Amino acid sequence: MASTSRDVITGRGTHSKVKSAKLLEVLNAMEEEEFSNNREEIFIAPPDNASGEFTDEDSGDEDSQRGAHLPGSVLHASVLCEDSATGEDNDDLELQPAKKRQKAVVKPQRVWTKRDIRPDFGSWMASDPHIEDLKSQELSPVGLFELFFDEGTINFIVNETNRYAWQKNVNLSLTTQELKCVLGILILSGYISYPRRRMFWETSPDSHHHLVADAIRRDRFELIFSYLHFADNNELDANDRFAKVRPLIIRMNCNFQKHAPLEEFYSFGESMCEYFGHRGSKQLHTGKPLRFGYKIWCGTTSRGYLVWFEPSQGTLFTRPDRSLDLGGSMVIKFVEALQERGFLPYHIFFDKVFTSVKLMSILRKKGVKATGTVREYRTERCPLKDPKELKKMKRGSFDYKVDESEEIIVCRWHDSSVVNICSNAVGIEPVRMTSRHSGAAKTRTQVHQPSLVKLYQEKVGGVGRMDQNIAKYKVKIRGMKWYSSFIGYVIDAALNNAWQLHRICSQDAQVDLLAFRRYIACVYLESNADTTSQGRRSRRLETESRFDMIGHWIIHQDKRTRCALCHSQTNTRCEKCQKGVHAKCFREYHIR
């Protein structure tokens, strides 16, 4: 049964044309023992035209789809199988005539020697004047967030949304103030959520939220949210599955890299954007907390600042380099983005999905250090001790070899299991003792740990930290457009990056991520509220927010105004209250 299911998936073992595999068949095949031993990733086959008008809308309401409860149209959709070992799509479902066998090109064998690595990289000496400049500006949370959603990005979204509405014969006339109200509601939905988003505007005392209701009318929000757009439909690239959000991805990557902390250590990995609709680029990951959604390649700092990201489209739309698989090619793209700021000795960490001796060699030629766990078949026949033999030895035992020509080390270390680690920059020495948990004895024991293992464990978790921050208070409001969940992911990533800069720049008065998001949501909703319509209780909002003791920051203003307390001239104001106030009057104004 398992071999038959695998033939259905890959199109092998038959002399006639095989029908496309269905998602339901693949899920059933994955439960078989033989198939489960091979980790593969699958995604629903995309349409031929990636820029068609039909890609704007899903064919159903995604709010009712959770987890494995998928509609028949999804379960019976055609799928492609992506081998995690090569990153290539097994989409050849028709047996081709046998081709004439060509002579294989004989690659030179690597010479492996039992010694420690002797890297020739320079030491990290770079400073970061941009971060020092941000520290001197003392930006508030809103100021930090608007480093990424800056005026140019806001105006771009407004123009594209109005253009899209005009193409649909709707006079939307969206303004920047209204768009910021929409952003404020999306941010607020991360920590205050209702089963239905319209409950924010209900007059029932158990659900009414006056901050949202007084900022923008319900029908106006629904209209703006339904026409939110990020690209001109007349200029879409048919070969790009994410053409409708590509301009936004380019702008956000530019802003993320422009304001990124300049550090030596970076982490590269996969992130998931949850999505249950009918979009072709949706993928299934059996080993991830979020099983269904868009896979996103991410490069972050060791603390979790997102420097560069790119949604995965599989090898169907993204052809990798000939010498590397798709994952390795994405690492190279991330390195190229880093080197736009200067050719410095960066150190990249990633897991076994990406690591290979070939990738280490390419990065070494680019002057980039790299360390990562590696699968045995990607070590290019490095003669290490057999894992079964190493398991019989004392915990903490290890074996290692170095490639003589390119100074690349492969180490096999016995911990709770046998781990292979490859590096072009860090060696074995110094070997330290570390405390590890023993499950059988239920105690902690001291074991030997090579230097490259210790550094890898300390620096590899940047993508995981970013995912953890996003998952805490991620945007809950989603629409019928296939990219609405992706837009929520971008907003959450920008908030995470702004908070990371806040932690670096504000050493004295740091706030946690929840307070940081609450401050931005409150300022956007209060300062951009529509006060011209009838029924707006702006005076009550001003009174309540003035004394709530939440998120009041004093900032500089170019034009001098009257102080709200002593009525003399001042060049500072409260960013939340939008009132001029002296620094000496600031505390008294907010408690009187």
Side-chain angles (χ1 to χ4, degrees), residues 5 28 60 74 77 101 105-106 149 235 266 325 394 403 436 460 466 496 499 557 583:
S5 301
N28 292 334
V74 177
R101 182 173 298 177
V105 178
V106 179
F149 276 86
E235 300 179 359
Y266 293 87
D325 58 10
K394 184 180 178 182
D403 175 36
R436 310 294 289 177
V460 74
M466 180 199 70
N496 168 71
W499 183 62
Q557 59 182 2

Side-chain angles (χ1 to χ4, degrees), residues 15-233:
H15 296 284
S16 61
K17 188 173 181 179
V18 182
K19 294 182 179 180
S20 297
K22 307 301 181 183
L23 178 59
L24 184 59
E25 296 173 354
V26 176
L27 293 175
N28 292 334
M30 290 179 66
E31 297 178 356
E32 299 293 333
E33 180 179 359
E34 180 179 346
F35 184 79
S36 62
N37 292 334
N38 301 303
R39 180 181 178 271
E40 302 199 7
E41 297 170 356
I42 62 173
F43 62 93
I44 302 172
D48 295 334
N49 185 2
S51 63
E53 187 66 20
F54 61 87
T55 59
D56 262 357
E57 304 287 348
D58 281 331
S59 56
D61 185 3
E62 67 178 43
D63 291 340
S64 61
Q65 300 171 26
R66 292 292 182 268
H69 301 286
L70 300 174
S73 59
V74 177
L75 290 174
H76 294 286
S78 300
V79 298
L80 296 177
C81 178
E82 181 179 286
D83 189 351
S84 61
T86 63
E88 297 181 355
D89 302 327
N90 299 323
D91 54 353
D92 188 8
L93 297 181
E94 184 177 359
L95 189 64
Q96 302 293 335
K99 296 181 180 179
K100 186 176 180 180
R101 182 173 298 177
Q102 299 178 352
K103 289 185 178 180
V105 178
V106 179
K107 296 181 180 180
Q109 293 287 337
R110 294 184 181 270
V111 179
W112 298 95
T113 307
K114 184 66 175 285
R115 65 170 177 83
D116 203 359
I117 191 174
R118 293 192 288 265
D120 55 356
F121 293 99
S123 58
W124 182 264
M125 301 293 292
S127 59
D128 193 354
H130 180 67
I131 292 297
E132 296 299 325
D133 182 53
L134 289 179
K135 289 181 179 179
S136 64
Q137 294 182 36
E138 298 182 354
L139 295 176
S140 67
V142 172
L144 292 171
F145 177 70
E146 290 182 347
L147 292 176
F148 312 114
F149 276 86
D150 54 9
E151 183 179 358
T153 303
I154 293 294
N155 290 332
F156 162 76
I157 298 174
V158 169
N159 293 336
E160 291 300 334
T161 301
N162 285 328
R163 186 208 306 271
Y164 178 66
W166 180 80
Q167 291 172 351
K168 297 293 185 179
N169 297 320
V170 175
N171 184 17
L172 187 62
S173 300
L174 175 65
T175 64
T176 58
Q177 289 76 19
E178 289 177 319
L179 180 59
K180 288 185 178 182
C181 282
V182 172
L183 289 176
I185 294 174
L186 294 179
I187 296 171
L188 182 137
S189 70
Y191 58 90
I192 297 177
S193 61
Y194 291 125
R196 301 184 184 92
R197 61 172 176 259
R198 291 195 165 204
M199 293 177 67
F200 281 111
W201 290 270
E202 288 184 359
T203 57
S204 301
D206 63 330
S207 63
H208 180 75
H209 198 286
H210 71 81
L211 187 62
V212 174
D214 291 346
I216 188 172
R217 292 189 180 277
R218 181 197 65 191
D219 292 345
R220 182 62 177 170
F221 171 84
E222 295 287 355
L223 184 64
I224 294 172
F225 192 62
S226 64
Y227 283 101
L228 209 56
H229 216 67
F230 307 92
D232 186 356
N233 282 346

Side-chain angles (χ1 to χ4, degrees), residues 388-404:
K388 294 181 180 179
E389 179 183 352
L390 201 61
K391 281 185 177 180
K392 296 178 182 179
M393 301 175 66
K394 184 180 178 182
R395 185 175 181 180
S397 303
F398 57 90
D399 189 22
Y400 59 94
K401 293 289 194 305
V402 173
D403 175 36
E404 284 286 353

Side-chain angles (χ1 to χ4, degrees), residues 88-89 91 314-321 326 329-330 333:
E88 297 181 355
D89 302 327
D91 54 353
T315 54
L316 194 66
F317 285 85
T318 307
R319 293 296 175 187
D321 297 337
L326 180 58
S329 300
M330 292 297 107
K333 287 188 176 182

